[in-house]
Amino acid sequence: MQFPREEFFAPGHRGCAGCGAAIVARLLLKATGKDTIISNATGCLEVMTTPYPETSWRVPWIHTAFENAAATASGIEAAIKVLKRKRGKYADKKIHVIAIGGDGGTADIGFQSLSGAMERGHDLLYIMYDNEAYMNTGIQRSSSTPFLAATTTSPAGSKIRGEDRPKKDVAMIMAAHGIPYVATACISYPEDFIRKVKRALEIEGPKFIQVLQPCTTGWGFPPEKTIEIGRLAVETGVFPLYEIDHGNFKITYKPAKRKPVREYLKMQKRYRHLTDEDIERIQKYIDEKCKLLGL
Amino acid sequence: MCEVKVITGTSAAAEAAKLADVDVIAAYPITPQTTCVEKLAEFVANGELDAEYIKVESEHSAMSACIGAAATGARTFTATASQGLALMHEMLFIASGMRLPIVMMVANRALSAPINIWNDHQDSIAERDTGWIQIYAEDNQETLDSIIQAYKIAENENVLLPVMVCLDGFILTHTVEPVIIPKAERVRDFLGVYEPKHAYLDPDRPITQGPVGVPDCYMETRKQLEDAIERSKRVIKDVNAEFAELFNRKYGNGLVEAYNLDNADTVLVAMGTVCGTIKYVIDQLKKEGKNVGLLRIRTFRPFPKEDIKDLLKEVDNIAVLDKNVSFGFNKGALGIEMSSILKNKKVCNYIVGLGGRDIKIEDIKKIISHVEKAEDDETMWIGLKE
């Protein structure tokens, strides 16, 4: 695949070295092009890209609050529709309205607003960048934090072994809304991600993509390992890549042979407290999930 | 020229939004606002109003969607009440902070707990410091006229602030009155076709809205907001005068309305529908040879300090009626403001009508005789059961 050379996400942002969220933004905008409006939830991405008077965004961008990127995007989409109709504004353009939020802003506090926007059928794409915790506030657990991962609010103690609940499956919950397109993606598979964004933008109506983006600070790994860890999440079946296009489920990357989960876990400080027994429990859980998906 | 309809306050608000030819409506139903958004849904369904109507899942999302739409250059409208307004609280700051000219009808209603659907002003008063302009209407005609005026005020390039038009729940929202509905063309002439003056989201001119306001810039944005709401005083007066010329109706000087103030040494100060009852009592007393005045506060924000000081400079007995309480201070918001600007005067505060408690003619008379006898500032709860 030829990636467009033009950059709509400017360099010089304040993300950590090896930040996966910045890669999400950069790839996303390569896929959407210029005629895009972004509604960004409060979170890492918003904080690191817009310390006034600087901005990394070369497309129109708005941030309002933590829990309402989808509701704000609903208003943007409705405004474009009515302004086209009533005043001929943007008449010759197809503007892509994109809402983007982290897992906290999507799976937790923003969940109602997301569900509302999807259910109402707005023509917009929601991108959940998933780093599996509340990263810019100091690594607290979210409902997207995986089973047994240690965060600052789900620490590994002598009685409790880290996060005690499995990761909430937001993509499948979005699929249950009956929207035309749902997909998972990972920054380590940029062609797959870009293809999915482009496919989503071809479809009118609400679309949802959940993108895994490893976080060096929150997960505890060296900055140069971001892509490698993301790839391992997919190769082990921890984060399967699929799409549901008008109800048709398709695995979009099938590892020839799934790697043991241990390889993925051992590279990250958030799992360093795990015993062999803990790792077995995770392996079993992942195996069951992969079986369901046909991986 | 125009049409007279016998309608409720919420219908008057909906008619006003239609006359303003709003582009986007985002709304969630809540008593006693609901009939407003129902009416608007009908207008859109019947093709009488060409707007996008977003049936949001909460008031928080209603305001968020209005912000998104206004930031994209659309004229927007929403309506709410009580708990719904409280749920919007966070987003109200964001609407004003982004300087978006959103107009909202607020059907004033008490806050929980205990849950109560009837009227008082605790809900909008709790939003006093959000940077919104607040207009309190006295009747259904003023509700309609104020919403039309609100767009002209909000969209003025020296203002660019959101406006809430407050009307008393049930007392206005569910009571029919004859309301003059102006011709759409005349409202269009008054408001002009909406061309957003603020920067808005447009792929041909990409801008970043709502960035991180670092300590180096945040305080300046707050001062700009304060300056804008201060400037709105002049604009509100001008809009009121211009409206009077075109439509032959005016509301005091836009900020305050003086009723029988000349030579009155006792003056009641209040907002909303209770002013109608007060005017009735004043007229009665006048026949008895007693001279009492009313100063109706129409805009609680911006607070018309200068006009109030000027109009009350000869007055000895000032009775401020509040349909809200600042708990822990035992005064209402209006009472607190009045005391703070009239330092050497006797300002008594009367807490009235909470949660829909009737304010009777006898209550007004009791307040007048109390304030005339009071030695100093006092607070009194009126209509409490023994």
Side-chain angles (χ1 to χ4, degrees):
Chain A
M1 186 192 272
Q2 279 281 6
F3 286 11
R5 292 184 69 87
E6 204 169 353
E7 297 286 357
F8 295 104
F9 185 71
H13 60 76
R14 300 189 181 184
C16 306
C19 171
I23 301 172
V24 172
R26 186 170 169 229
L27 294 174
L28 170 70
L29 292 184
K30 280 191 181 287
T32 66
K34 169 185 166 287
D35 291 334
T36 299
I37 297 176
I38 303 275
S39 164
N40 200 156
T42 310
C44 284
L45 185 62
E46 165 262 331
V47 170
M48 77 200 206
T49 58
T50 65
Y52 184 85
E54 295 156 18
T55 182
S56 302
W57 301 87
R58 290 171 177 162
V59 294
W61 178 98
I62 186 169
H63 157 254
T64 60
F66 193 10
E67 64 278 37
N68 61 347
T72 305
S74 300
I76 296 167
E77 185 256 9
I80 291 170
K81 214 192 263 176
V82 71
L83 291 177
K84 267 189 185 180
R85 190 169 67 222
K86 275 170 95 168
R87 293 210 263 287
K89 235 176 204 173
Y90 317 117
D92 51 344
K93 275 202 172 87
K94 164 83 180 120
I95 299 174
H96 305 304
V97 180
I98 315 273
I100 181 163
D103 46 297
T106 305
D108 297 342
I109 196 168
F111 199 63
Q112 172 183 315
S113 140
L114 169 64
S115 176
M118 295 288 115
E119 165 274 315
R120 288 191 299 272
H122 292 281
D123 186 21
L124 60 88
L125 166 62
Y126 192 101
I127 301 283
M128 166 183 174
Y129 66 95
D130 189 2
N131 50 36
E132 304 191 323
Y134 291 87
M135 291 311 185
N136 69 311
T137 48
I139 317 160
Q140 299 85 12
R141 70 81 79 174
S142 78
S143 61
S144 196
T145 297
F147 185 52
L148 296 184
T151 71
T152 53
T153 54
S154 63
S158 56
K159 280 179 80 174
I160 302 173
R161 315 282 310 139
E163 173 55 35
D164 57 0
R165 299 291 305 153
K167 183 182 172 83
K168 183 175 185 174
D169 197 341
V170 183
M172 283 300 179
I173 301 169
M174 287 303 111
H177 282 64
I179 59 176
Y181 189 79
V182 172
T184 60
C186 173
I187 52 153
S188 308
Y189 297 80
E191 291 176 341
D192 179 71
F193 176 40
I194 287 183
R195 186 190 65 77
K196 283 169 176 166
V197 173
K198 283 184 180 282
R199 171 61 190 145
L201 296 180
E202 285 169 9
I203 302 166
E204 203 179 314
K207 289 85 61 174
F208 177 89
I209 302 177
Q210 177 175 355
V211 197
L212 186 74
Q213 53 101 166
C215 169
T216 59
T217 317
W219 296 11
F221 60 81
E224 68 274 17
K225 297 278 185 196
T226 305
I227 302 299
E228 190 182 331
I229 290 200
R231 200 170 291 141
L232 270 172
V234 174
E235 294 279 351
T236 54
V238 165
F239 196 89
L241 300 185
Y242 60 82
E243 68 184 356
I244 307 172
D245 192 336
H246 293 86
N248 300 310
F249 177 89
K250 192 177 132 198
I251 292 281
T252 54
Y253 176 79
K254 192 166 185 170
K257 190 177 184 302
R258 271 197 293 123
K259 288 187 173 162
V261 174
R262 176 184 298 269
E263 276 186 45
Y264 170 68
L265 302 176
K266 74 179 181 195
M267 291 178 73
Q268 306 171 49
K269 282 188 188 150
R270 62 176 174 161
Y271 292 119
R272 69 180 157 193
H273 60 286
L274 298 188
T275 60
D276 285 349
E277 205 178 289
D278 293 331
I279 292 170
E280 273 316 300
R281 282 171 76 192
I282 295 173
Q283 183 69 60
K284 202 166 159 258
Y285 172 73
I286 296 297
D287 288 348
E288 277 167 17
K289 285 215 79 168
C290 287
K291 202 176 151 192
L292 261 171
L293 295 179
L295 255 182
Chain B
M1 269 289 279
C2 55
E3 188 188 353
V4 177
K5 287 187 185 172
V6 182
I7 51 171
T8 61
T10 49
S11 282
E15 292 279 356
K18 186 173 92 173
L19 287 167
D21 191 27
V22 296
D23 301 313
V24 175
I25 299 155
Y28 192 75
I30 180 168
T31 302
Q33 165 268 75
T34 318
T35 44
C36 175
V37 300
E38 285 172 350
K39 193 85 203 161
L40 283 165
E42 268 176 46
F43 288 153
V44 174
N46 294 332
E48 292 173 61
L49 170 63
D50 185 5
E52 281 295 306
Y53 189 109
I54 313 177
K55 289 158 278 195
V56 283
E57 83 298 338
S58 75
E59 286 88 349
H60 192 286
S61 284
M63 188 45 62
S64 303
C66 282
I67 290 168
T72 314
R75 184 177 273 168
T76 61
F77 181 79
T78 188
T80 192
S82 185
Q83 307 301 124
L85 183 59
L87 184 55
M88 283 180 182
H89 174 70
E90 179 198 24
M91 300 317 295
L92 297 187
F93 278 98
I94 291 166
S96 62
M98 288 188 160
R99 308 291 301 276
L100 298 173
I102 297 163
V103 173
M104 168 161 70
M105 182 207 88
V106 173
N108 280 118
R109 168 188 150 184
L111 283 166
S112 291
I115 189 164
N116 173 300
I117 60 167
W118 294 273
N119 168 246
D120 68 30
H121 291 163
Q122 197 78 49
D123 53 355
S124 53
I125 290 297
E127 307 304 338
R128 175 183 71 170
D129 301 328
T130 53
W132 280 60
I133 291 170
Q134 294 194 341
I135 298 174
Y136 289 79
E138 188 184 324
D139 57 31
N140 292 352
Q141 184 71 57
E142 190 179 2
T143 300
L144 180 136
D145 294 345
S146 299
I147 286 172
I148 294 168
Q149 292 183 5
Y151 280 104
K152 186 112 175 162
I153 298 161
E155 292 165 5
N156 185 294
E157 57 190 340
N158 291 313
V159 179
L160 286 176
L161 283 174
V163 180
M164 62 175 81
V165 174
C166 305
L167 60 155
D168 286 330
F170 293 103
I171 305 169
L172 292 185
T173 59
H174 286 63
T175 306
V176 294
E177 292 180 330
V179 174
I180 300 165
I181 316 283
K183 282 258 184 257
E185 306 85 72
R186 301 196 66 207
V187 175
R188 201 178 309 132
D189 289 346
F190 178 66
L191 290 180
V193 174
Y194 183 46
E195 267 303 323
K197 303 266 193 334
H198 56 87
Y200 57 92
L201 300 165
D202 176 356
D204 289 335
R205 297 179 306 162
I207 53 160
T208 289
Q209 288 202 54
V212 178
V214 294
D216 195 42
C217 74
Y218 182 84
M219 205 158 159
E220 283 68 27
T221 68
R222 297 342 252 175
K223 183 61 167 60
Q224 285 169 7
L225 205 157
E226 174 57 33
D227 291 347
I229 201 162
E230 181 61 34
R231 283 196 300 269
S232 77
K233 287 180 182 170
R234 183 72 257 160
V235 175
I236 293 166
K237 284 182 174 179
D238 291 348
V239 166
N240 185 59
E242 194 187 333
F243 189 89
E245 238 169 68
L246 265 160
F247 298 96
N248 217 16
R249 286 187 297 282
K250 66 172 187 167
Y251 301 97
N253 70 1
L255 303 174
V256 294
E257 184 198 342
Y259 190 82
N260 198 44
L261 269 192
D262 294 341
N263 306 318
D265 54 8
T266 299
V267 169
L268 280 71
V269 183
M271 307 194 295
T273 52
V274 72
C275 295
T277 316
I278 295 171
K279 285 173 183 172
Y280 177 81
V281 174
I282 288 173
D283 292 348
Q284 270 195 338
L285 292 175
K286 208 166 181 182
K287 282 181 208 151
E288 296 164 20
K290 200 166 156 42
N291 208 11
V292 175
L294 164 72
L295 178 57
R296 178 164 79 90
I297 307 297
R298 182 164 179 257
T299 61
F300 184 63
R301 284 292 181 270
F303 195 65
K305 287 181 217 172
E306 301 79 7
D307 296 283
I308 295 169
K309 279 188 190 167
D310 186 46
L311 287 162
L312 297 183
K313 60 175 183 270
E314 308 292 338
V315 180
D316 295 327
N317 308 312
I318 297 163
V320 183
L321 280 70
D322 262 300
K323 285 188 179 181
N324 69 92
V325 195
S326 180
F327 301 106
F329 202 68
N330 197 31
K331 272 181 186 285
L334 188 54
I336 295 168
E337 312 289 43
M338 295 296 291
S339 297
S340 83
I341 62 166
L342 302 171
K343 290 185 189 79
N344 302 316
K345 285 190 175 291
K346 179 177 71 181
V347 181
C348 290
N349 195 194
Y350 300 89
I351 308 296
V352 295
L354 299 187
R357 180 70 45 95
D358 266 350
I359 307 167
K360 302 188 177 83
I361 288 163
E362 298 78 64
D363 295 330
I364 304 296
K365 288 182 173 166
K366 190 173 160 187
I367 288 168
I368 294 166
S369 60
H370 179 270
V371 72
E372 285 174 346
K373 279 180 220 125
E375 304 258 305
D376 205 350
D377 297 6
E378 284 179 31
T379 296
M380 202 175 160
W381 290 55
I382 299 294
L384 271 188
K385 288 180 187 166
E386 298 297 317

